[in-house]
Amino acid sequence: MTSDSDTTLDAFLGGRLTLEQPRKGYRAGVDPVLLASAVPAQAGDAVLELGCGTGAALLCLGVRVPGLALHGVEVQARYADLCRANVARNGTYASIHTADLRALPGDLRALSFDHVIANPPYFDRTQGNPSAAPDKDMAFGGDTDLVDWVDQATRRLKPRGRLTMIQKAHRLAELLSALDSRLGSVVVTPITGREGRNADRVLLRAKKGGRAAFRLTAPVYLHDGPAHLRDGEDYRPEIVQILRNGASFPTRD
């Protein structure tokens, strides 16, 4: 489905959500949907997404848990504008700010949140990775350290508030080193395509003021079997429920 020559309209959650996205550049896929599924939010909670892009994670969460107060921050003006359009298109409400997360506007800094979520760029532009940022798109490769993402998220959390992030597995050590004493009860879940393969992504959850011991959970597999043997999708049943019906992530803290 298309809207104009530069964007497409794409269905998420079995058609319960429609997002306008750039035809070229960053396009939301499975990861923001998984991120949204892992947030233990309840109606009435306030949620902030840092780097909300066109709104995939934030709006998927809003569909899964009605009655949330949704806020997003996006540094790229085009993505922020598309996110606002997607909010209106799907008949919901969210406050979307165009800003660098390192210089949040005062009205947003005055708020605190039950949940902060983020899907930071998977590649660090400062490390010189040539594939980090196609078309200079900050959604692919950022110049903001993970420590800044974690620090700003922690500052915005209420006491006992929850941080939920998804990131490439190769950056887990960097992500863990960005945590400080303000966050505890850390749970890391490896995500891999198939059984027997190394984890490609990790889901990290932490609580502001949490005191529980660090926990590394069993991995979550996205697909059935050790190899792709037939045409079409072969997601595991619990992953299909997340992607099509907005179900919760299969492991909880």
Side-chain angles (χ1 to χ4, degrees), residues 209-233:
R211 294 292 179 264
F214 173 85
R215 185 157 62 93
L216 180 66
T217 75
V220 168
Y221 306 110
L222 299 183
H223 301 280
D224 273 325
H228 188 76
L229 300 176
R230 57 183 171 80
D231 292 338
E233 294 181 348

Side-chain angles (χ1 to χ4, degrees), residues 52-214:
C52 62
T54 60
L58 193 67
L59 296 181
C60 281
L61 178 57
V63 169
R64 182 170 71 83
V65 186
L68 299 174
L70 301 175
H71 299 255
V73 174
E74 174 53 48
V75 69
Q76 296 190 94
R78 186 190 185 200
Y79 284 93
D81 288 343
L82 286 172
C83 187
R84 294 185 188 97
N86 287 330
V87 168
R89 175 175 288 104
N90 288 280
T92 187
Y93 176 79
S95 178
I96 308 301
H97 302 260
T98 306
D100 190 311
L101 65 89
R102 295 165 294 190
L104 296 176
D107 57 341
L108 192 57
R109 286 188 281 110
L111 301 177
S112 57
F113 297 88
D114 300 285
H115 302 276
V116 177
I117 67 175
N119 179 15
Y122 282 161
F123 302 98
D124 186 346
R125 194 184 287 265
T126 65
Q127 299 303 308
N129 187 320
S131 64
D135 301 322
K136 302 186 184 300
D137 193 328
M138 295 290 290
F140 289 98
D143 60 1
T144 303
D145 291 339
L146 283 178
V147 68
D148 291 317
W149 286 83
V150 173
D151 176 63
Q152 291 300 325
T154 307
R155 289 175 183 271
R156 302 278 68 79
L157 282 171
K158 298 177 180 179
R160 313 300 289 179
R162 303 295 188 97
L163 170 65
T164 307
M165 302 179 76
I166 192 168
Q167 183 54 247
K168 279 284 192 180
H170 78 269
R171 299 191 73 184
L172 177 58
E174 182 184 356
L175 183 57
L176 289 174
S177 70
L179 306 180
D180 60 32
S181 61
R182 294 173 294 173
L183 293 171
S185 304
V186 178
V187 180
V188 172
T189 300
I191 300 172
T192 183
R194 299 180 187 278
E195 188 173 355
R197 296 187 182 182
N198 290 335
D200 178 61
R201 292 161 177 79
V202 291
L203 185 73
L204 180 143
R205 288 163 288 174
K207 182 186 297 185
K208 190 171 185 177
R211 294 292 179 264
F214 173 85

